[in-house]
Amino acid sequence: MTRKPLIAGNWKMNGSLGESRQLVETLRHGVSAGASATMLLCPPYVYLPAVRDWLQGSPIALGAQDIADKPGTGAYTGEVSGQMLRDVGCTYVIVGHSERRALYGETDAVVAAKFKAAQAAGLLPILCVGETLEQREAGETRKVVERQVAAVVDSAGVAAFAKAIVAYEPVWAIGTGRTATPEQAQEVHAFIRGMVAARDATIAAGLSILYGGSVKGANTRSLLAMADIDGGLVGGASLAAAEFLEIFRAAA
Ligand code: 13P
């Protein structure tokens, strides 16, 4: 089973409209239609329609950083539905990012609901999981990741993972410059794939598992050389066109 590498840029709450335009213009010239990897951009909600327009004719994909946990429409002030994200050109959406979990109180149940709302709208959810430094040092990495993945598998069913992506993002590696070693990441990636394989081996073999946490041009190749690392979810380095293109080229 070959899994096409995916390099996703999560801009978080960064950049102005003008800076975003410059970034997208540079990136689109650096990514050709025949590339052997997929580039995905996840700008803030309000820039999605503009980024979609700037990407016209480009193979670069568009995604959102979050989604409402409710399907359909309704009285949910401030929320954005999956169908709305589809309307503005998204094909992917990040769910359960550690910042959403830690800063906005998203529980495993909320993350599972977002995952299902994304799929109900025809979006590919990128389910983020990962342990804190405290949890790693306490030897709880597998326990935490298992709980986070199981919450979604048990709620959505393993078949849902045929149309989903998982991102392992150890919290201690996010924005710290302290990247997990390829071996540390591979161990958790293999664990996640094994969890899914225990339920469905074919789905596990096709599942893309991204690594996130201080991915840079200089460490992409060694991370992606590992058997179960299928791409990167990139924060800070996705805001600098040259660096993000270096990451992409290392994957493609
Ligand atoms: P950094 O690449 O800035 O460490 O962020 C990773 C991340 O959280 C991507 O979702």
Side-chain angles (χ1 to χ4, degrees):
M1 180 74 67
T2 53
R3 301 179 294 265
K4 189 177 179 183
L6 174 65
I7 299 297
N10 172 11
W11 297 2
K12 310 191 180 183
M13 196 176 76
N14 289 298
S16 64
L17 192 61
E19 286 164 345
S20 301
R21 179 165 198 155
Q22 272 195 325
L23 179 58
V24 172
E25 290 296 329
T26 310
L27 293 176
R28 62 169 294 163
H29 287 111
V31 180
S32 58
S36 59
T38 301
M39 181 184 282
L40 165 66
L41 302 181
C42 301
Y45 279 146
V46 290
Y47 296 160
L48 285 168
V51 174
R52 173 202 52 194
D53 291 348
W54 301 330
L55 286 176
Q56 278 299 318
S58 160
I60 299 174
L62 187 65
Q65 298 173 18
D66 194 15
I67 181 173
D69 62 345
K70 311 280 191 296
T73 56
Y76 305 112
T77 302
E79 291 297 309
V80 176
S81 75
Q83 188 54 50
M84 293 167 188
L85 297 177
R86 285 290 303 270
D87 280 349
V88 295
C90 290
T91 49
Y92 295 79
V93 62
I94 297 169
V95 299
H97 192 280
S98 65
E99 288 149 17
R100 302 291 323 166
R101 293 177 189 262
L103 303 173
Y104 301 97
E106 287 190 11
T107 61
D108 287 329
V110 167
V111 174
K114 291 188 172 193
F115 181 100
K116 291 195 282 189
Q119 288 194 328
L123 293 160
L124 282 167
I126 301 176
L127 168 66
C128 298
V129 299
E131 81 288 1
T132 64
L133 184 59
E134 200 180 13
Q135 290 164 333
R136 173 162 281 262
E137 286 175 346
E140 293 174 351
T141 298
R142 285 181 178 225
K143 192 178 95 184
V144 170
V145 168
E146 181 166 31
R147 191 202 74 225
Q148 292 171 333
V149 173
V152 180
V153 176
D154 293 346
S155 172
V158 71
F161 283 74
K163 288 190 173 159
I165 288 157
V166 175
Y168 170 57
E169 295 206 304
V171 177
W172 49 272
I174 295 176
T176 58
R178 187 179 162 193
T179 318
T181 65
E183 294 73 22
Q184 281 174 322
Q186 166 60 25
E187 195 214 324
V188 180
H189 282 231
F191 174 70
I192 293 168
R193 197 179 306 285
M195 267 187 80
V196 178
R199 292 159 167 96
D200 189 311
T202 307
I203 286 174
L207 178 66
S208 277
I209 307 178
L210 314 182
Y211 166 79
S214 299
V215 173
K216 302 181 213 54
N219 58 33
T220 302
R221 226 174 281 277
S222 58
L223 285 161
L224 268 67
M226 306 309 284
D228 293 295
I229 303 184
D230 306 311
L233 182 52
V234 186
S238 74
L239 299 166
E243 185 76 21
F244 196 48
L245 281 171
E246 194 184 328
I247 294 169
F248 181 74
R249 288 184 186 124

